[in-house]
Amino acid sequence: MAGGFAVSSKPGAGHRQFKGKITFYVWICGVVAATSGLMFGYDIGISGGVTAMDDFLVRFFPAVYARKHRAKENNYCKFDDQRLQLFTSSLYLAALAASFVASRVCTRFGRKRTMQAASVFFLAGSGLCAGATGLAMLIVGRVCLGVGVGFGNQAAPLFLSEIAPAHIRGALNILFQLNVTVGILVASVVNYFASAVHPLGWRYALGGAAAPAAVLFLGSLAITETPTSLVERGQPQAGRATLERIRGTRDVGDEFEEIRDACARAAALREEEKPYRRLARPESRPPLVIAIAMQVFQQFTGINAIMFYAPVLFQTMGFESDASLLSAVVTGGVNVLATGVSIALVDRVGRRKLLLEACAQMLVAQAAVGGIMVTHVGAEGSPTRGWAVCIVVLICVYVSSFAWSWGPLGWLIPSETFPLETRAAGFSFAVSSNMLFTFLIAQAFLSMMCTLRAYIFFFFAAWIVVMGVFVLALLPETKGVPVDEMVDAVWRRHWFWKRCFADADQAKINNC
């Protein structure tokens, strides 16, 4: 696709033109980097399916296996086991710690090498999990996977935002989330077939995580580092050559000067004050608050509770084991297709409209599922076939709205809103916040389900209302704004956040 691309200093305002094409090489780099999302998604999908396999439970969690098959056991408490939840959640606790290390690695060694390190940790973790002979070895493998997730989720969204032309940045960045959804779908399919392979099906399922890790490692050998990272690390000539390659033209002077100026400002500010310390300043507060809030809200939609434990959840609702795994495949497929909707619309419709529409759709779906569970599924009962189909349809409605909104935009918005001097450090807070609340949901969900029962759906529905209010009041639109112009074009113009950009004393007076 040839032609110049436009960037604006203000959403909806006049455009400055940077020369260049949307090159095939940019898309190749994007697809390879987004493979990090495939690793993340595969793990999200695989853990819930494996914990529903009897062979896995017999070996590692015999008490859960006994409860699962005990007559008249409370539906909502069959899988309530802290060690079982630790199997899922330990990965995210490791990713939380790794994200801060990954921030420094990203700045010092570049986005590309950080993604390569992620793939190595993931390969090691998948091997340990597949070959596990005891729970300790299994958890160590999960920790290695977590380090890989922390490194990959730190580097890939930054990489994608920095190589993309401004007017397709949303679509290119959402390749990461698209691969997350593909990973979940692939994991659901693998679980469905592996569940019939006795007694080693769970080993094949867990070992399958090595495939996307190998793709990322080999693919990363063929892609470039971002121009911003090269200039930032003192390689301006390589940075310009890379920019010419990814834009498909030698006429990149204006864009390169903008990158070089941003790097020079960032270097001067870092000399004056370290990035993490600078994040405490009032002018850093808007993107930091938005980044953390997006991750917290993303988890409190309830999506990962459903995706982690989809087969377990469907069994709780009265589905048989094979039917529950198949239902997880269906929701995974919906997840992939709906993420494609986001790629098509995010740079046309904008971020805010997608988020607000999804809040309404998710609220209706969560409340409806909760209502059906309260009225038609007791603690020891099962829904009729008609109500069971209705539950699956509603969960698909819920998953689809998340997939074109809070899923991809939860990663896109933090990756594009920080200035360069705090970009890696600020995004590490987004990654770590995501992993912290993913860990909390994963560790607590089965116990919450045992305590709250069907009302757990109303718990998440209440959070969706809070999310909608937050978007309406505090989230600015960032569609079409170059990443290095966010401060002047977005934050200084926002009705609330502009108070943070007065001098330090005035910002304090303004309660920023």
Side-chain angles (χ1 to χ4, degrees), residues 311-324:
V312 170
L313 191 61
F314 283 122
Q315 285 188 35
T316 294
M317 293 174 178
F319 291 74
E320 295 299 325
S321 181
D322 287 348
S324 69

Side-chain angles (χ1 to χ4, degrees), residues 430-490:
V431 175
S432 60
S433 298
N434 184 283
M435 294 304 137
L436 173 61
F437 283 90
T438 303
F439 164 76
L440 293 175
I441 292 294
Q443 185 64 29
F445 176 70
L446 295 178
S447 298
M448 289 171 63
M449 188 163 64
C450 183
T451 302
L452 296 175
R453 303 190 179 188
Y455 292 97
I456 193 169
F457 294 98
F458 297 113
F459 170 81
F460 289 123
W463 274 100
I464 291 170
V465 174
V466 176
M467 292 157 49
V469 173
F470 177 86
V471 173
L472 279 172
L474 296 176
L475 185 69
E477 180 58 69
T478 54
K479 178 184 72 172
V481 182
V483 291
D484 292 317
E485 295 183 13
M486 287 291 170
V487 171
D488 291 329
V490 174

Side-chain angles (χ1 to χ4, degrees), residues 273-292:
E273 194 171 25
K274 297 297 183 183
Y276 282 105
R277 185 180 294 275
R278 190 166 187 82
L279 284 172
R281 295 171 64 91
E283 60 267 28
S284 296
R285 207 154 297 159
L288 184 62
V289 169
I290 294 295
I292 293 174

